[in-house]
Amino acid sequence: LYDPPLRTVPSAGALYPFEIYIVANNVEGLPLGIYHYVVLNHSLELVKPGDFRKEITNAGLKQEMLGDADVTFVLSAIFDRVRHKYGERGFRYVYMEAGHISQNIYLQAVSLGLGSVSIGAFLDEEINQLIGIDGRTEAVIYLHAVGTL
């Protein structure tokens, strides 16, 4: 039985197709690196240690805010989580949910006095490789840079 923990964003059928990664560039108490958000215990697991500012900027079509941001949220989708129930229409629901998640990031950033920008222009294969996913069963569809103003 598939019984995912509930989250603070609307999701078609409560199927939650998203995985969230972060590229931490300047987060107090968190070493530089790429992390995956673990929903079950609200924690971060290290995917790759290191400084990835240059790589995220290059893969983001040289958009400097990606390297300058304190953190970049990388939203990836596992489309089959919704396609099994909604067929091809599930793709639409995934993209709607990306907007809901991004709105939550914007709202939280503002409440903390931080700037934020969502980014849809990037090189898919490079971003997928950077966070270590295949781009087929799971693929990055949105980036969201957050940092001090």
Side-chain angles (χ1 to χ4, degrees):
L1 180 66
Y2 181 66
D3 189 24
L6 297 178
R7 303 181 192 180
T8 60
V9 66
S11 182
L15 296 172
Y16 305 107
F18 278 90
E19 295 296 323
I20 299 176
Y21 299 83
I22 66 165
V23 179
N25 296 328
N26 184 27
V27 179
E28 187 176 328
L30 192 64
L32 292 171
I34 299 172
Y35 295 82
H36 175 251
Y37 173 66
V38 181
V39 175
L40 290 175
N41 61 2
H42 300 292
S43 66
L44 294 175
E45 63 183 356
L46 181 63
V47 174
K48 290 182 190 175
D51 184 345
F52 295 98
R53 287 179 282 208
K54 182 178 178 182
E55 291 88 343
I56 191 86
T57 300
N58 288 339
L61 304 173
K62 308 278 192 236
Q63 296 178 76
E64 295 296 326
M65 75 281 279
L66 289 165
D68 294 341
D70 295 326
V71 64
T72 297
F73 292 86
V74 180
L75 308 181
S76 70
I78 300 174
F79 291 98
D80 284 347
R81 288 183 185 166
V82 292
R83 287 186 62 221
H84 82 275
K85 182 172 184 176
Y86 297 110
E88 295 305 304
R89 190 166 188 86
F91 286 109
R92 178 180 300 185
Y93 300 146
V94 167
Y95 286 100
M96 287 177 186
E97 189 169 330
H100 302 320
I101 293 169
S102 185
Q103 179 183 26
N104 282 353
I105 294 170
Y106 272 115
L107 292 170
Q108 188 62 47
V110 167
S111 77
L112 295 171
L114 301 171
S116 61
V117 62
S118 55
I119 299 165
F122 54 86
L123 300 171
D124 296 35
E125 188 173 323
E126 283 80 353
I127 296 287
N128 289 329
Q129 287 177 355
L130 181 63
I131 64 166
I133 60 174
D134 65 17
R136 289 179 308 283
T137 57
E138 180 179 354
V140 173
I141 63 167
Y142 219 15
L143 305 176
H144 202 111
V146 176
T148 54
L149 295 172

